[in-house]
Amino acid sequence: DLPTAERFQRVTKQLAIAQLKLLSAKLSDKAWTDSVGGIPAMVPGLTAWTLRVRGTFPQMRAFLSENTGSGWVIPVTLDMAPAAEPGKPAEWDLAVLL
């Protein structure tokens, strides 16, 4: 088991490899964990984070493809705010367990 800080460093490195820009990161509150059916409580030792990133769909797809099933990051929800102009990066809110 990796400490949360090390898992967070890994996920930020993986975001950079996928060429996604991390805009913000925050621990998710209890209301969020309740809204996803208590999933975080089912995975002991992991904490729920909400990451806001900027990038394109192929970049996000590459990140998720590379990291889903890794065991040290578990994507839970993903929301996208479309880019203002076609072809520009979108902003994504990615809830993960680390």
Side-chain angles (χ1 to χ4, degrees), residues 10-23 52-64 66-67 88-92:
R10 281 189 176 190
V11 80
T12 57
K13 181 178 178 182
Q14 291 299 313
L15 288 167
I17 289 170
Q19 299 179 342
L20 291 164
K21 182 178 181 181
L22 180 63
L23 302 176
R52 175 159 282 225
V53 299
R54 182 177 294 133
T56 64
F57 177 79
Q59 292 166 330
M60 180 57 75
R61 183 173 163 234
F63 170 78
L64 292 172
E66 182 67 28
N67 294 289
K88 298 289 183 179
E91 289 194 3
W92 305 80

Side-chain angles (χ1 to χ4, degrees), residues 15 20 32 36 49-65 68 74-81 90-96:
L15 288 167
L20 291 164
W32 179 85
V36 292
W49 288 81
T50 300
L51 310 176
R52 175 159 282 225
V53 299
R54 182 177 294 133
T56 64
F57 177 79
Q59 292 166 330
M60 180 57 75
R61 183 173 163 234
F63 170 78
L64 292 172
S65 295
T68 300
I74 302 170
V76 179
T77 64
L78 178 65
D79 293 310
M80 181 190 74
E91 289 194 3
W92 305 80
D93 286 324
L94 174 62
V96 295

Side-chain angles (χ1 to χ4, degrees), residues 5 13 19 27 29 31 35 39 42-43 47 66 74 76 83 85:
K13 181 178 178 182
Q19 299 179 342
L27 282 170
D29 60 17
S35 74
I39 291 171
M42 293 180 219
V43 189
T47 55
E66 182 67 28
I74 302 170
V76 179
E85 299 174 33

